[in-house]
Amino acid sequence: MTLDRTATRTVGLGLLALGVLALVSPAVERLLPTEAAVEGLGNDYLLVAAIGALSLAGTAGVLALRTATGVTEARPPAVEAVERGTPGRELDAALAGLPTVRTTARERAVHGRLRAAAVATVAETARCDRAEARRRVDRGEWTDDETAAAFLASDDLEPPSLARRALSELRGEHWFRRRVDATVAALERRREVRA
């Protein structure tokens, strides 16, 4: 296919160069049998029409050849999937592997929901307003469970120290899950006392 394309291109460029030379050089024009062709066809318009018909026939021939053999275009290599880096991504991954450096957004959301539930429960069971209930939760006075009281004592979720977290891991429990379970149990006990 490359040879066909090269041959077609060479013939086309050669004819174009010959036509341009015939226009600018009378010597080249005399080499072409144009006058004989015009006399043979009857007039110069028919000569131009014949050249156009030959061009169309050549184009149709190339198209027919491509249709019969198929187009074998060079295919560019597959684009490699380049993963774009996100600023801080490596740091996030490194921090995620550390035991107590930070808390996740999901853990903070659960903490916030439990804190709100504790404030509502204390307000209901102690028959006080929400501001007073919040103060009791902040001071840890809403339950006798130290884990639950410490867990909800602040709006910010503070992860345990490395030592406490390591101890939790040795016991086979997740520090956050243990705190959530203790808090839910404390909330249930408080509601049961009220009922």
Side-chain angles (χ1 to χ4, degrees):
M1 194 64 173
T2 304
L3 180 62
D4 294 338
R5 192 177 297 165
T6 303
T8 306
R9 187 181 312 137
T10 303
V11 169
L13 290 175
L15 289 175
L16 178 64
L18 184 62
V20 170
L21 287 175
L23 286 175
V24 297
S25 170
V28 174
E29 183 185 4
R30 279 190 291 261
L31 294 175
L32 298 175
T34 53
E35 290 183 18
V38 169
E39 285 179 15
L41 293 173
N43 62 38
D44 53 350
Y45 292 111
L46 290 176
L47 177 61
V48 172
I51 292 172
L54 285 174
S55 298
L56 289 176
T59 303
V62 169
L63 290 175
L65 182 63
R66 285 190 175 195
T67 302
T69 60
V71 178
T72 56
E73 297 287 336
R75 293 187 178 180
V79 178
E80 294 179 19
V82 177
E83 188 174 331
R84 292 186 171 181
T86 304
R89 186 174 174 180
E90 291 82 15
L91 179 62
D92 287 343
L95 292 177
L98 295 177
T100 60
V101 173
R102 66 181 191 150
T103 56
T104 66
R106 189 174 193 181
E107 290 170 340
R108 287 190 297 274
V110 169
H111 175 264
R113 290 180 63 187
L114 285 174
R115 187 167 157 81
V119 169
T121 301
V122 169
E124 180 182 335
T125 56
R127 298 183 186 262
C128 62
D129 61 3
R130 286 190 175 262
E132 176 58 26
R134 183 176 305 277
R135 283 191 289 273
R136 291 183 184 187
V137 170
D138 289 345
R139 292 190 298 257
E141 297 173 352
W142 65 280
T143 180
D144 55 355
D145 187 309
E146 293 179 7
T147 300
F151 185 55
L152 298 185
S154 172
D155 283 332
D156 297 326
L157 175 60
E158 296 294 332
S161 65
L162 282 171
R164 285 184 177 259
R165 184 132 184 200
L167 189 61
S168 293
E169 294 295 329
L170 286 175
R171 286 189 293 218
E173 56 187 18
H174 188 267
W175 70 271
F176 184 76
R177 179 69 188 204
R178 187 173 62 84
R179 289 181 172 193
V180 168
D181 289 345
T183 303
V184 169
L187 286 170
E188 288 175 349
R189 283 193 303 272
R190 184 154 184 123
R191 287 193 168 271
E192 287 171 2
V193 169
R194 173 78 171 101

